[in-house]
Amino acid sequence: QVQLVESGGGLVQAGGSLRLSCAASGRTFSTYAMGWFRQPPGKEREFVAQISWTNGVPYYADSVKGRFTISRDRNKITVYLQMNNLKPEDTAIYYCAARSAGQAGFSSWGQGTQVTVSS
């Protein structure tokens, strides 16, 4: 099992920036990818971005392309989400997730961090 702890959420005005961090611990040796998801108020959880743990190749949802950047530090076993030009519709609880080798999807989840963007 992988334990994930997010940090960096908060309140920001539209057009501003935030950087989320997610530190992983536990059985991280088999990590295949890490990602960020979000759940806006009253809506289902949705994919935001993911990154390959081995080669660092990122993948983004269309709604955040060009504004968000996912990165990872393999030494610190941490993944980041740099969010620029934030919009009110980015308001959500943001969750970090990990996918292990051999698994079809993300099976380890953090507790979530709130991001609120005011207009």
Side-chain angles (χ1 to χ4, degrees), residues 36-113:
W36 291 94
F37 293 73
R38 66 186 182 187
Q39 187 166 16
K43 296 184 178 181
E44 298 290 319
R45 182 158 22 181
E46 62 186 26
F47 169 78
V48 175
Q50 71 176 60
I51 188 166
S52 167
W53 199 246
T54 52
N55 59 23
V57 174
Y59 182 73
Y60 300 96
D62 288 343
S63 58
V64 305
K65 278 182 183 176
R67 299 188 299 122
F68 291 10
T69 302
I70 189 170
S71 61
R72 91 269 194 253
D73 186 325
R74 296 186 66 181
N75 290 328
K76 295 181 178 179
I77 320 179
T78 299
V79 65
Y80 305 96
L81 187 68
Q82 178 67 42
M83 305 185 293
N84 297 328
N85 190 22
L86 283 161
K87 304 176 181 180
E89 52 264 42
D90 294 318
T91 295
I93 300 174
Y94 283 71
Y95 297 91
C96 175
R99 176 183 169 186
S100 297
Q103 292 186 341
F106 292 89
S107 58
S108 298
W109 295 85
Q111 81 286 353
T113 185

